[in-house]
C-alpha cells in the first residue's frame, strides 16, 4: 500500500472514530440525571431559578429539541469550525481550549522526555546485564512504577520537595520549576512501561546476526548497542508511545488537579461538575483528534525506523 492510499484509508477510519467518540460523549452527557439548565442557573444566580428562567435558558441554548436534533446541529457547527459557547462565560469553547491546551501539551511533552530519559538507558542496561542485580533492580523499579497511582506519587513529591525541602513550587504554571514535579509524576508510570518493553525488545535484537557482525568489525559496544541494536528495538516501543499518549492525556487530568495546573484536564473536570456540555464535548473531540493524529504519525515513523515495513502491510 503506497503512502497516499494509506493516508486516505487512515483519514477515513479517523473520521469514523471521531464520530463514534462524539456520539458516545453526547449520549452519556444527556444520560446524567437532573436538568442541566436548572443546575447551571442555580450556580450562576446563586439561588433556585424560576420555571420561566429555566424555560428561557433551555430555549436559548436549544435544549428543548430532541437529543438527535441537538447532536446534528452540534456536528454541523463543528464542521464549520464552531465548537460552541460556554454556558457560563459566553466564551467560545475553541478559545478556552486554545488557552488551556499549551499547558497540557507542555506537561505531556515534558513527561514523555522524563519517561524516555529513564526508560532507554535503564532498559538497555537491563537487557545487556540480564540475570544480574542491575536487571533485577530494573524490573523491580518498573513494577513499582507501574503499580504506583499518579495522584499518590504527586502528593508524595509535594510532601518531600515542596513542603519538606521547599526546593520546588507546588502549584500553578508559567515557569520550569512548576513543571518539574508534574512531569516526574506523569512520566514515571510511562517510564516503567517503556523500560520493560525496551528490555524485552533489546533481548530479541541482541541475538540477531547483524549485531554479532557489528561487534566483529571492532565497533565500540556503545555504538553497537545504541546505533545498531536500539534503533531496531524501538519499532515496538514507538507503537506503545502512540498508545501511551492516551494514558498521558488521561493522567494529565489527575496531575493537573493535584498540582493546580490550568490545562485541559482542569478545564474538563470543572466543565463536568458545572454541566458545561459544550466545553466537555469540545475537549473530548480535540483530545480524540490529537490521539488519532498521533497514532497516524507513529505509523508513518515505522518507515524511518525500519525501511522493510510497508504501511498498512507487513514487514518485507
Amino acid at each position: 500500500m503506497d503512502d497516499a492510499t494509506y493516508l486516505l484509508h487512515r483519514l477515513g477510519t479517523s473520521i469514523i472514530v471521531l464520530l463514534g467518540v462524539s456520539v458516545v460523549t453526547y449520549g452519556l452527557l444527556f444520560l446524567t440525571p437532573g436538568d442541566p439548565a436548572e443546575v447551571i442557573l442555580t450556580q450562576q444566580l446563586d439561588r433556585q431559578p424560576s420555571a420561566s428562567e429555566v424555560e428561557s435558558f433551555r430555549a436559548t441554548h436549544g435544549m428543548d429539541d430532541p437529543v438527535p436534533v441537538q447532536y446534528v446541529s452540534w456536528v454541523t457547527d463543528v464542521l464549520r469550525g464552531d465548537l460552541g459557547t460556554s454556558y457560563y462565560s459566553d466564551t467560545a469553547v475553541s478559545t478556552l481550549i486554545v488557552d488551556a491546551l499549551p499547558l497540557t501539551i507542555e506537561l505531556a511533552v515534558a513527561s514523555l522526555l522524563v519517561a524516555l530519559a529513564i526508560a532507554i538507558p535503564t532498559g538497555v542496561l537491563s537487557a545487556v546485564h540480564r540475570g544480574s542485580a542491575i536487571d533485577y533492580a530494573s524490573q523491580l523499579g518498573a513494577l513499582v512504577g507501574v503499580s504506583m497511582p499518579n495522584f499518590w506519587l504527586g502528593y508524595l513529591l509535594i510532601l518531600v520537595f515542596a513542603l519538606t525541602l521547599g526546593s520546588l513550587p507546588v502549584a500553578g504554571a508559567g515557569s520550569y520549576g512548576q513543571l518539574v514535579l508534574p512531569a516526574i509524576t506523569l512520566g514515571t508510570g510511562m517510564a516503567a512501561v517503556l523500560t520493560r518493553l525496551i528490555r524485552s525488545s533489546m533481548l530479541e535484537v541482541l541475538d540477531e546476526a547483524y549485531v554479532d557482525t557489528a561487534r566483529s568489525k571492532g565497533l565500540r559496544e556503545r555504538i553497537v548497542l545504541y546505533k545498531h541494536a536500539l534503533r531496531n528495538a524501538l519499532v515496538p516501543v514507538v507503537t506503545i508511545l502512540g498508545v501511551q499518549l492516551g494514558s498521558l492525556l488521561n493522567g494529565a487530568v489527575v496531575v493537573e488537579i493535584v498540582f493546580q495546573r490550568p490545562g485541559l484536564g482542569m478545564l474538563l473536570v470543572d466543565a463536568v461538575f458545572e454541566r458545561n456540555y459544550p466545553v466537555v464535548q469540545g475537549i473530548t473531540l480535540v483530545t480524540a483528534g490529537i490521539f488519532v493524529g498521533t497514532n497516524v504519525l507513529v505509523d508513518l515513523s515505522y518507515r524511518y525506523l525500519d525501511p522493510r515495513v510497508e504501511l498498512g502491510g507487513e514487514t518485507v
Side-chain angles (χ1 to χ4, degrees), residues 35-267:
D35 185 354
E38 187 173 342
V39 173
I40 293 167
L41 285 174
T42 299
Q43 296 185 47
Q44 287 182 333
L45 303 175
D46 199 22
R47 60 175 174 81
Q48 190 67 27
S50 64
S52 60
E53 289 173 330
V54 172
E55 290 177 3
S56 175
F57 185 90
R58 293 181 62 85
T60 301
H61 294 88
M63 293 182 176
D64 290 330
D65 298 329
V67 174
V69 174
Q70 294 184 49
Y71 174 75
V72 171
S73 175
W74 177 75
V75 170
T76 303
D77 290 339
V78 168
L79 293 176
R80 292 199 300 260
D82 181 10
L83 294 177
T85 304
S86 170
Y87 288 154
Y88 287 82
S89 61
D90 287 333
T91 304
V93 172
S94 57
T95 301
L96 295 174
I97 292 175
V98 168
D99 290 342
L101 184 58
L103 290 176
T104 300
I105 292 177
E106 179 186 62
L107 175 58
V109 171
S111 303
L112 179 60
L113 293 177
V114 168
L116 292 175
I118 296 172
I120 291 177
T122 305
V124 171
L125 284 174
S126 182
V128 172
H129 301 282
R130 57 180 146 183
S132 66
I134 294 177
D135 186 22
Y136 292 133
S138 169
Q139 293 187 64
L140 178 61
L143 179 61
V144 172
V146 170
S147 307
M148 192 181 303
N150 283 336
F151 71 89
W152 186 86
L153 177 59
Y155 286 125
L156 181 63
L157 293 176
I158 289 174
L159 177 64
V160 174
F161 291 98
L163 300 182
T164 303
L165 300 178
S167 56
L168 290 169
V170 177
S175 68
Y176 290 117
Q178 293 170 311
L179 183 61
V180 173
L181 294 183
I184 294 174
T185 301
L186 190 55
T188 301
M190 187 176 185
V193 174
L194 294 179
T195 297
R196 299 170 71 174
L197 182 61
I198 290 174
R199 176 187 180 274
S200 61
S201 186
M202 281 292 293
L203 286 175
E204 294 180 8
V205 170
L206 288 175
D207 291 331
E208 296 290 340
Y210 66 84
V211 176
D212 294 332
T213 302
R215 284 173 173 155
S216 68
K217 291 180 179 180
L219 296 177
R220 288 185 298 173
E221 186 66 13
R222 177 173 296 182
I223 295 178
V224 172
L225 291 176
Y226 287 96
K227 184 177 180 180
H228 296 277
L230 182 60
R231 177 173 176 174
N232 290 285
L234 285 179
V235 173
V237 176
V238 170
T239 303
I240 293 298
L241 283 177
V243 176
Q244 285 293 308
L245 175 67
S247 300
L248 283 179
L249 295 176
N250 291 334
V253 175
V254 177
V255 173
E256 286 179 354
I257 294 298
V258 171
F259 292 96
Q260 292 297 292
R261 287 179 60 85
L264 275 187
M266 182 171 289
L267 181 63

